[in-house]
Amino acid sequence: MKKDSLSYEALLSEVDERLKNGCSKEREQQFYTKLKEAGFSRRDFLKWTSMITAALSLPPIFEPRVAKAVAAIAQRPTVIWLHFAECTGCTEAFLRTINPSIEQVIFDTINLAFHDTLMMASGKRAEEALESAIAKYKGSYILVVEGGIPTKDDGIYLRIGANAETGLHRLKRISKDAKYILNFGTCSSFGGVQAAYPNPTGAKGVHDILGCEVVNVSGCPPNAVNMIGTVVHILLFDRVPPLDLSYRPIWAYGGRIHDNCERRAHFDAGEFVQEWGDEGAKKGWCLYKMGCKGPLTYNNCPRYRFNQGTNWPVGAGHGCIGCSEPDFWDTMAPFEEPNDKAGIRIPAFGGVEATSDAIGELVTGITIGAVGVHAAGSIIRAKAQKKKEKEEKNNKNNQDTPDEKK
């Protein structure tokens, strides 16, 4: 699996060459016609490309190239989307995107060859469609995996399809001919709730089974922007974006939720919700003391939110549960209590602002005290000097007196 580098300026000529050789005028016209029919203007599309370019941490010079790649590349990336042990919530979240609409994402940006949930066929006909797609696009398709993979007892706790193939065998068989493997959701990335203690089925994430490099678009569910952005990156560069140590795209998972949270100012000010429904909750104060795991979680949720950008959990009044982190069901629980093991330092003396005031008062007190000490010292020194002068004068008078008597 090819990797991208962070020096995007060096990739400009490569991208231009790819677009020059890979774009089709006919495809571009068809795309804009369908875009218009779906109710979107070219201006809407350009606004979307600006958003996705910024999300990918690409400079603005890439914006027209992103638009060109999405609209005009003739060879659509083929996707085979498999479901394993999961709730299909990730697909549900993905279907909620309108930037662009899911129909455009599926039919104009990618070639969706197989998807258990969306396809019309079932049973043996679905299996035939899958085998046909694998054979036709061998070595070139993107395998999207949704759900954890039971591995205990050779994977017998998950069987799929008319031939009752185990999920473990199905993953190994189909992944070997994939060009890229994208794990959509925390279950396929790290095992998810299926892998929570005591994990009776031995569920694992894809990387823990295959050992090869994958792209983990984690979350329960993940944000659709993170998935679409990753696909657009592959479309533009024909390679995966730079990844972190958990194989997550850095452009999406490179920052802490806590650092971009809309309630961060209240954390710094020491303003916390103490119990559900209190005045702090009504005023939108920080949810850390109610168990928010934002300081421990890396994701871009505050920036792009969910359901067409309407809202996100913290915005709706509940703390982050850290769903994009490995083993979050075990490591982040209990979800409505602070994680004492995290070592998060709560601003002292009622917050940063209050601390500043306290420090100011303390400094003022010290200054006043110092002035008082200085004044007292001056008085003492003045008295001592006066006493000394008086003693010297008396001594002189005593020395002069005998002569005067003479």
Side-chain angles (χ1 to χ4, degrees), residues 74-338:
Q75 188 64 42
R76 309 277 93 181
T78 298
V79 171
I80 294 178
W81 191 310
L82 300 181
H83 291 253
F84 293 93
E86 42 82 43
C87 66
T88 318
C90 298
T91 285
E92 288 291 332
F94 187 65
L95 290 171
R96 293 294 179 271
T97 179
I98 60 167
N99 297 315
S101 70
I102 187 60
E103 291 80 11
Q104 290 153 354
V105 172
I106 293 175
F107 297 113
D108 296 322
T109 304
I110 63 175
N111 172 29
L112 189 61
F114 183 88
H115 191 295
D116 286 322
T117 306
L118 299 180
M119 63 189 305
M120 293 290 292
S122 61
K124 289 188 176 180
R125 292 187 62 186
E127 291 299 301
E128 291 172 358
L130 175 60
E131 300 307 318
S132 175
I134 294 171
K136 184 177 180 180
Y137 302 105
K138 185 176 182 179
S140 65
Y141 57 81
I142 299 173
L143 175 62
V144 176
V145 181
E146 188 174 338
I149 319 297
T151 63
K152 188 177 180 181
D153 299 330
D154 201 27
I156 61 172
Y157 302 102
L158 175 65
R159 293 189 178 275
I160 303 170
N163 298 322
E165 183 180 27
T166 67
L168 181 61
H169 181 265
R170 192 178 183 88
L171 173 68
K172 291 181 177 179
R173 180 172 64 85
I174 299 175
S175 63
K176 67 182 181 182
D177 291 323
K179 186 175 184 180
Y180 304 110
I181 301 174
L182 306 186
N183 296 318
F184 192 53
T186 294
C187 293
S188 55
S189 297
F190 309 120
V193 65
Q194 291 74 222
Y197 180 81
N199 192 5
T201 66
K204 294 181 179 179
V206 172
H207 176 264
D208 288 339
I209 295 172
L210 300 179
C212 63
E213 189 169 70
V214 298
V215 180
N216 289 331
V217 184
S218 61
C220 187
N223 196 313
V225 171
N226 295 348
M227 183 60 175
I228 294 174
T230 301
V231 171
V232 169
H233 193 285
I234 292 174
L235 196 65
L236 188 64
F237 296 106
D238 193 23
R239 66 194 65 188
V240 300
L243 307 174
D244 67 9
L245 295 177
S246 296
Y247 296 96
R248 299 176 297 188
I250 291 176
W251 68 266
Y253 299 90
R256 285 194 312 169
I257 281 181
H258 184 58
D259 296 329
N260 297 295
C261 180
E262 62 208 33
R263 300 183 186 230
R264 174 60 188 267
H266 295 294
F267 177 90
D268 293 340
E271 296 172 340
F272 296 96
V273 176
Q274 303 291 340
E275 61 180 60
W276 300 118
D278 67 6
E279 282 301 310
K282 295 175 183 175
K283 294 177 179 177
W285 287 1
C286 179
L287 294 161
Y288 177 74
K289 292 187 177 180
M290 301 305 294
C292 180
K293 304 302 186 298
L296 312 173
T297 306
Y298 290 80
N299 209 330
N300 55 8
C301 301
R303 184 170 298 174
Y304 299 109
R305 303 187 169 199
F306 288 81
N307 296 331
Q308 305 167 17
T310 303
N311 210 340
W312 67 300
V314 173
H318 194 282
C320 166
I321 62 173
C323 70
S324 58
E325 297 302 308
D327 304 323
F328 84 98
W329 285 99
D330 292 327
T331 59
M332 298 292 183
F335 294 122
E336 296 186 349
E337 295 179 13

Side-chain angles (χ1 to χ4, degrees), residues 49-58 63 303-304:
T49 57
S50 296
M51 181 275 291
I52 206 70
T53 303
L56 291 170
S57 302
L58 294 171
E63 288 182 11
R303 184 170 298 174
Y304 299 109

Side-chain angles (χ1 to χ4, degrees), residues 58-69:
L58 294 171
I61 196 171
F62 277 89
E63 288 182 11
R65 292 168 171 83
V66 170
K68 192 76 174 178

Side-chain angles (χ1 to χ4, degrees), residues 3-19:
K3 279 187 174 181
D4 205 349
S5 71
L6 291 176
S7 57
Y8 290 114
E9 291 184 1
L11 299 173
L12 270 177
S13 58
E14 181 183 339
V15 171
D16 288 340
E17 187 70 17
R18 173 172 166 76
L19 295 177

